[in-house]
Amino acid sequence: MSAQGDVASRSWELSESVVVEAPPDQVYAAISDVRRMREWSPECVGVLVYRGRKGPRPSFIGFNRNGARRWFTFCRVTVSDAPGEFAFRVSVAGLPIATWGFRLTPARSDPAGADSESTHVTQYWRDLRRGGRGRAADLLGAAIAGTSPQERVRVNRSGMITTLGRLKRSLEAVPEAE
């Protein structure tokens, strides 16, 4: 099988969801602070936001690991729609890799019309590796991150489940009383 794999059976999009017992604006504030991604993601070990680009659509470098393998990605926020959606596009060496994002919706409404106390969080991933540049990105991914396109789908799904679980625990944690 080529590095591109069987394109007909390749997964190009994934999503996983969780309900977080926190209001959407609080969840959005956490996920839109891209420096916090290392707290939740099993692959991201750090984020460097470009100086002067800290507004609602910052550009940043994501530092990642898979076992002993280490690499970095260039990321640009593409959707910053508080408190509904946050997404960023990932590239390596000028090659488009993926879009990662979060969609937030109130999980339940207070009958009195007050703000929701919980949020349905859906994390999604779209593979952007298409055509000749996509094949180059696949080869680069296999060499640097150590995963084939098909393995990347499995790794990403597992990572999304871990990320959402850690996000939930982080935002639902009750601070200790002093």
Side-chain angles (χ1 to χ4, degrees):
M1 192 178 300
S2 71
Q4 185 76 6
D6 182 3
V7 173
S9 66
R10 183 167 176 174
S11 294
W12 298 95
E13 295 188 24
L14 297 174
S15 66
E16 290 291 336
S17 297
V18 69
V19 173
V20 176
E21 296 300 323
D25 59 335
Q26 181 183 345
V27 177
Y28 184 88
I31 63 169
S32 65
D33 181 354
V34 294
R35 295 165 299 179
R36 294 192 65 189
M37 191 54 63
R38 68 186 184 97
E39 294 176 39
W40 310 307
S41 170
E43 197 168 82
C44 177
V45 296
V47 171
L48 175 65
V49 177
Y50 291 122
R51 185 193 311 252
R53 297 295 311 264
K54 294 182 183 171
R57 295 191 179 214
S59 293
F60 58 96
I61 298 173
F63 297 93
N64 306 291
R65 65 151 168 68
N66 180 7
R69 295 174 184 268
R70 308 270 191 256
W71 71 95
F72 60 93
T73 58
F74 296 96
C75 306
R76 180 177 50 86
V77 173
T78 56
V79 179
S80 181
D81 184 17
E85 185 172 5
F86 183 80
F88 54 93
R89 184 177 173 153
V90 177
S91 64
V92 172
L95 300 170
I97 303 297
T99 296
W100 284 94
F102 295 86
R103 285 191 191 94
L104 311 173
T105 56
R108 65 174 179 257
S109 296
D110 183 315
D115 289 339
S116 173
E117 295 179 10
S118 59
T119 305
H120 185 260
V121 181
T122 299
Q123 184 179 21
Y124 62 89
W125 168 80
R126 284 190 205 107
D127 192 335
L128 300 177
R129 298 169 291 169
R130 307 278 199 292
R133 290 171 53 94
R135 284 188 293 281
D138 282 344
L139 290 170
L140 192 59
I144 294 173
T147 54
S148 68
Q150 291 73 20
E151 181 69 6
R152 176 52 42 194
V153 169
R154 187 195 64 72
V155 167
N156 285 353
R157 182 173 305 281
S158 174
M160 292 164 83
I161 292 167
T162 298
T163 297
L164 291 171
R166 289 175 179 173
L167 175 71
K168 177 179 176 68
R169 284 188 296 280
S170 170
L171 295 179
E172 292 178 356
V174 178
E176 293 183 27
E178 293 185 27

